Amino acid sequence: MSETTPLRLGILGSGRGSNFVAVADACAAGAVKAQPCLVLSDVENAGILGHARTRQIPARHIPPGKFRTRLDDEAEQVWIHELQQAGVELVVLAGFMRVLKGNFLNAFAGRIVNIHPSLLPSFPGLEAWKQALDYGVKVTGCTVHFVDSGIDSGPIIGQQSVPVLDGDTAESLHERIQLAEHELYPLCVARLASRSMRIQGRRVIG
Amino acid sequence: MSETTPLRLGILGSGRGSNFVAVADACAAGAVKAQPCLVLSDVENAGILGHARTRQIPARHIPPGKFRTRLDDEAEQVWIHELQQAGVELVVLAGFMRVLKGNFLNAFAGRIVNIHPSLLPSFPGLEAWKQALDYGVKVTGCTVHFVDSGIDSGPIIGQQSVPVLDGDTAESLHERIQLAEHELYPLCVARLASRSMRIQGRRVIG
């Protein structure tokens, strides 16, 4: 494949899709050599689906099945099939609120990325900005990482720091982190789209 | 006590004392309203003692006793006594390689600070820069925190971020973090010297 072929992205989200918008608009502007080919959501009325359709990007709600925090086996096969049919090369999680399991991870091994609202390995898991505020850190941030079978534990592609201010509430800190996310995620997808990265141990280089 | 009285510092170190130099020189320059009154080391020929004497700051080697990683009970009493006799208000750890225990912590409760070469709570413990490099983070840094009975677990006074570069070795990263330490530690001591800080939960404010 030529290095100049845009990387084909499949985006999974459960919410309003602000990180998807940041990535998609950076692709449209030519800043990221990638093409969002398909947006999938487990939430029927998720904002991310509307943002995709506005941009003429195929978007579908696919029911997640019977579980609350993951896709059930049957649903998982449908999700994998849809992404493969669309020729997706990189799965981009953008506010996707379900944990991906073995079959999905195997189908896109080393080709799933997520963004997390802390400087990992500090504060994995839910509401990381609130964890950071309660711990009393003065610097937090966001992390783009490969997804593995752990919780927010995969190799780190990029991080951006964000100050915590004395007057911060969980909400004000979360907003500041999200602004950093909208800068960091397109940058990291651009680096992935350059297809020059390699992994040494846990270090992502290039 | 008047707010303009310089905060009396006792500095404990085991090594070359570069953080002590940064703090002492900021005090001498008037940037930090504090006065280094006594420097103690458990290592007889530690560089920190020479740096203190060059600056006409009282400096002593006090034998740490029979243990390798802490002061023994008898030594601890001598260290506490020396600091109290010097009228030390704030104990500043600057590369001090022993863990302080209950009697010492009680004698200077809430008045002992340390600097750690990572963005805590990531990478507590030894060789934090190497831990960070091996984990593959893209942002690390340094943390000034109050000392409590845990390992690098006390409330955080200040943090400064430092980028990790693709070509970094443990040594090059450690050097970059130390430059940040030499900026951060004087700033944090200056804030402590202003005597306006308060602690809410784990958050150090002001």
Side-chain angles (χ1 to χ4, degrees):
Chain A
M1 181 176 289
S2 159
E3 283 193 19
T4 56
T5 306
L7 188 69
R8 295 180 67 83
L9 308 180
I11 297 98
L12 275 50
S14 307
R16 60 198 182 94
S18 66
N19 274 309
F20 160 69
V21 166
V23 170
D25 291 357
C27 293
V32 178
K33 296 266 179 267
Q35 180 188 349
C37 297
L38 181 62
V39 173
L40 299 180
S41 182
D42 56 325
V43 176
E44 189 157 13
N45 60 353
I48 193 172
L49 295 173
H51 285 304
R53 290 172 185 136
T54 302
R55 289 163 174 76
Q56 281 83 49
I57 297 167
R60 283 194 58 193
H61 164 246
I62 309 183
K66 62 191 171 193
F67 300 121
R68 196 177 54 82
T69 60
R70 62 182 184 92
L71 305 173
D72 73 17
D73 290 353
E74 197 176 340
E76 188 179 56
Q77 287 309 316
V78 179
W79 285 65
I80 292 169
H81 180 76
E82 287 282 325
L83 292 164
Q84 289 175 334
Q85 284 294 107
V88 164
E89 298 173 283
L90 181 72
V91 175
V92 175
L93 305 186
F96 188 61
M97 296 306 288
R98 290 171 189 270
V99 177
L100 298 176
K101 295 292 184 179
N103 285 337
F104 200 113
L105 299 180
N106 290 335
F108 294 94
R111 297 187 294 134
I112 310 172
V113 296
N114 186 34
I115 190 160
H116 180 80
S118 76
L119 291 178
L120 292 170
S122 286
F123 313 124
L126 295 176
E127 295 193 322
W129 60 89
K130 188 168 184 308
Q131 294 183 53
L133 193 72
D134 291 345
Y135 193 92
V137 296
K138 302 298 184 182
V139 176
T140 183
C142 50
T143 301
V144 175
H145 62 91
F146 287 108
V147 173
D148 64 14
S149 57
I151 299 292
D152 305 320
S153 58
I156 291 172
I157 298 160
Q159 294 186 299
Q160 187 162 326
S161 63
V162 170
V164 180
L165 306 181
D166 275 2
D168 265 332
T169 61
E171 293 69 31
S172 65
L173 180 57
H174 190 197
E175 281 176 23
R176 194 175 309 117
I177 293 171
Q178 287 186 312
L179 293 178
E181 291 180 16
H182 301 162
E183 293 178 8
L184 181 67
Y185 219 172
L187 287 174
C188 290
V189 174
R191 288 174 57 205
L192 290 159
S194 76
R195 297 178 165 88
S196 63
M197 282 188 168
R198 60 192 193 282
I199 301 190
Q200 298 177 338
R202 283 189 57 92
R203 295 179 70 185
V204 181
I205 308 279
Chain B
M1 182 176 291
S2 159
E3 282 193 19
T4 56
T5 306
L7 189 68
R8 296 179 67 82
L9 309 180
I11 298 97
L12 275 50
S14 308
R16 60 198 182 95
S18 65
N19 275 308
F20 159 69
V21 167
V23 170
D25 290 357
C27 293
V32 178
K33 295 266 179 266
Q35 179 187 349
C37 297
L38 181 62
V39 174
L40 299 180
S41 182
D42 56 325
V43 176
E44 189 158 13
N45 59 353
I48 192 171
L49 295 173
H51 285 304
R53 291 172 184 137
T54 301
R55 288 163 176 75
Q56 281 81 49
I57 298 167
R60 283 194 58 193
H61 164 246
I62 309 183
K66 61 191 173 195
F67 300 122
R68 196 177 55 82
T69 61
R70 63 182 183 90
L71 304 174
D72 72 17
D73 290 352
E74 197 176 339
E76 189 179 55
Q77 287 308 316
V78 179
W79 285 65
I80 293 169
H81 179 74
E82 288 282 326
L83 292 163
Q84 288 175 335
Q85 284 294 107
V88 164
E89 298 173 284
L90 182 72
V91 176
V92 176
L93 305 186
F96 188 61
M97 296 307 286
R98 290 170 189 271
V99 177
L100 297 176
K101 296 291 183 180
N103 285 337
F104 200 113
L105 299 180
N106 291 335
F108 294 94
R111 298 187 293 135
I112 310 173
V113 297
N114 186 34
I115 191 160
H116 181 81
S118 75
L119 291 177
L120 292 170
S122 286
F123 313 123
L126 295 176
E127 295 194 322
W129 61 90
K130 189 168 184 308
Q131 295 183 51
L133 194 72
D134 291 345
Y135 193 92
V137 295
K138 301 298 184 183
V139 176
T140 185
C142 50
T143 301
V144 174
H145 63 91
F146 288 109
V147 173
D148 65 12
S149 57
I151 300 292
D152 305 320
S153 58
I156 291 172
I157 298 161
Q159 295 185 299
Q160 187 162 324
S161 64
V162 170
V164 180
L165 306 181
D166 275 1
D168 265 332
T169 60
E171 292 70 31
S172 65
L173 179 58
H174 189 198
E175 281 176 22
R176 196 177 306 118
I177 292 171
Q178 286 186 312
L179 292 178
E181 290 180 17
H182 301 163
E183 294 178 7
L184 181 67
Y185 220 172
L187 287 173
C188 289
V189 174
R191 289 174 57 206
L192 290 158
S194 76
R195 297 177 163 88
S196 64
M197 282 187 168
R198 60 193 193 281
I199 300 190
Q200 297 176 339
R202 282 190 57 93
R203 295 179 70 185
V204 181
I205 307 280

